Amino acid sequence: QADIAMYWAKEKGRDNAQVFAPEMATVVVKKFGFEQEMHEALAAGQFRLDYQPKVWMDSERIVGLEALIRWHHPTKGLISPADFIPIAEESNLIIKIGEWVIEEALRQQAEWREMGLRLVPIAVNISGRHLVLDSFVSYLSSKLEDYGVTGALLEIEITESVLLQDIDRCIEVMEALKAMDITISVDDFGTGYSSLSYLKRLPLDVLKIDQSFVEECGKHTEDTTICETIIHLARNLKLVTVAEGVETAEQAALLKQMGCLIYQGYYFYRPMPSLDTAALLDKAD
Ligand code: C2E
Ligand code: MG
Ligand code: MG
Ligand code: MG
C-alpha cells in the first residue's frame, strides 16, 4: 500500500507522499485491480469482437465492417469498451489489447476466406499511443503475412486528437500503412481540435463524421451545417465520408442528399457477433 501511495502522490505531481489520503488508495487499488483483470482476461480469452457493417449510399451493399471489442466477464457479464478502454489507454495495456484486436480481425478474415465468404475490409480502432509505437508497422506486416491477408482488407481508425501530438511521426507511420494498402480513417471527426491543415499533410482515406453531429442532423441547423461542411471538405480533399450513428431513415436521406458515401448505424445494422456477420456476408449479392 505504501508503494501505491507513493505512486499516487507522484501522479499528482507532488513530492510529498504524506498528503496522500486513504480513500485515494481504494481508487488506485481498484484501478490497478481492473488493469490486472484485463491482463488476465486477455490470457483467458474473455474478449470478443463484434462487427458492425458499413453500407454504400445507394445500393446499401455492405462495403466494410468495424470491429468493436466486448469483454465477456465471467461474473460481471458484458462490459462495454467505454468502461474499460479509457482505463487501458492509461497504460501499455492498450497496446496489448490493440494487438489482440488486430490479430483477431485478421484471423477472422482468414477464416471467412476459407469459408468462401465475400470479404470486405475490417476496421480496427487503434489508440494513438499504439500507432506511434516503433513496432507498430512491423507488427502489422508480420501479422498480415502470418494470416495471408492483404492490407486492403484492413482499415485503421484513429481519433483526431492523436494526429496533433506528433504529426511527423504520424505521417511516417501512415505512409508505411499506405504502402501496405491499409485504409486509414479518422474516427469521431469534428470533435477534436481541428487544425484542418493536418488533413492535407496526412495520407488519409476516410473521415468518419462523429455521431453527435449525425444524431442532430436535420434537427438543428448547426449540426446539419457541420455535416454538410465535413462532406464537402472531404470531397474536395478526395476523402470518403462515413456517417456513424445513423439511426433514422430521415438522417440517412438527408446525408445522402449532401453526398455522404458510406453509412454506419443502428438504422442499417447493429454491431453483431461474428457468426451473424458471417451469415450476412454469405448472402448472395
Ligand atoms: P467508435 O469507434 O466511434 O465506435 C462507434 C460506437 O458507436 C460503437 O460503440 C457502436 O456500437 C456505436 N454505434 C454504432 N451505431 C450506432 C447508432 O446508430 N447509435 C448509437 N447511439 N450508437 C451507435 P461501442 O462498441 O460501445 O464502442 C465505443 C467506443 O469504444 C468506440 O467508439 C471506440 O472508440 C472504442 N472501442 C471499441 N472497440 C475498440 C477497440 O477494439 N479498441 C479501441 N482502442 N477502442 C475501441
Ligand atoms: Mg471507430
Ligand atoms: Mg466514432
Ligand atoms: Mg466514438
Side-chain angles (χ1 to χ4, degrees), residues 49 52 66-70 80-82 84-86 89 94 97-98 100-101 124-127 157 159 187-188 208 210-211 215 244-248 251 264-267 269-271:
L49 292 182
Q52 186 178 33
E66 178 172 7
L68 295 159
I69 197 168
R70 271 86 183 100
S80 141
F84 63 88
I85 290 293
E89 294 260 11
I94 194 63
I97 291 177
W100 179 83
V101 171
V124 295
N125 293 281
I126 293 298
S127 137
E157 292 192 10
T159 55
D187 206 351
D188 303 343
K208 295 189 78 179
D210 188 66
Q211 51 190 59
E215 192 186 340
E244 59 175 13
V246 179
E247 293 185 351
T248 68
Q251 289 164 349
Q264 182 183 0
Y266 297 168
Y267 176 65
Y269 298 100
R270 286 185 175 255

Side-chain angles (χ1 to χ4, degrees), residues 52-271:
Q52 186 178 33
K54 304 177 190 181
V55 302
W56 190 255
M57 66 182 319
D58 288 316
S59 57
E60 295 188 9
R61 186 178 152 92
I62 296 171
V63 290
L65 300 168
E66 178 172 7
L68 295 159
I69 197 168
R70 271 86 183 100
W71 181 357
H72 294 263
H73 194 283
T75 55
K76 292 176 192 149
L78 189 63
I79 308 180
S80 141
D83 294 327
F84 63 88
I85 290 293
I87 297 166
E89 294 260 11
E90 290 175 34
S91 72
N92 286 340
L93 187 56
I94 194 63
I95 289 153
K96 290 271 160 280
I97 291 177
E99 290 183 345
W100 179 83
V101 171
I102 289 165
E103 179 145 20
E104 174 57 16
L106 294 177
R107 189 203 61 74
Q108 190 62 80
Q109 288 288 35
E111 185 182 279
W112 285 342
R113 182 188 54 212
E114 292 311 305
M115 291 166 68
L117 303 187
R118 182 171 74 87
L119 301 181
V120 294
I122 295 180
V124 295
N125 293 281
I126 293 298
S127 137
R129 181 178 186 127
H130 193 176
L131 185 88
V132 299
L133 195 74
D134 280 338
S135 60
F136 182 66
V137 171
S138 58
Y139 181 87
L140 272 176
S141 70
S142 79
K143 289 300 165 185
L144 285 169
E145 202 183 310
D146 287 352
Y147 289 94
V149 172
T150 155
L153 288 175
L154 189 66
E155 180 174 338
I156 303 287
E157 292 192 10
I158 38 147
T159 55
E160 228 176 334
S161 52
V162 173
L163 307 175
L164 297 166
Q165 285 161 24
D166 187 349
I167 185 97
D168 292 324
R169 175 71 186 139
C170 280
I171 293 174
E172 193 179 18
V173 174
M174 288 182 185
E175 297 290 357
L177 300 185
K178 288 277 77 176
M180 290 189 256
D181 269 341
I182 296 171
T183 302
I184 307 167
S185 300
V186 183
D187 206 351
D188 303 343
F189 185 75
T191 58
Y193 332 71
S194 279
S195 151
L196 294 177
S197 64
Y198 76 73
L199 288 181
K200 64 170 192 199
R201 294 190 58 204
L202 293 162
L204 303 170
D205 302 291
V206 178
L207 297 184
K208 295 189 78 179
I209 308 172
D210 188 66
Q211 51 190 59
S212 62
F213 304 123
V214 172
E215 192 186 340
E216 303 296 326
C217 188
K219 282 190 245 162
H220 294 108
T221 338
E222 293 85 353
D223 298 280
T224 312
T225 305
I226 290 172
C227 287
E228 199 164 24
T229 305
I230 294 174
I231 292 164
H232 287 173
L233 174 74
R235 189 187 295 143
N236 291 333
L237 292 170
K238 309 225 167 4
L239 302 175
V240 166
T241 37
V242 175
E244 59 175 13
V246 179
E247 293 185 351
T248 68
E250 290 72 28
Q251 289 164 349
L254 194 54
L255 288 158
K256 203 160 137 177
Q257 221 180 307
M258 295 172 179
C260 180
L261 295 175
I262 298 176
Y263 301 78
Q264 182 183 0
Y266 297 168
Y267 176 65
F268 297 98
Y269 298 100
R270 286 185 175 255

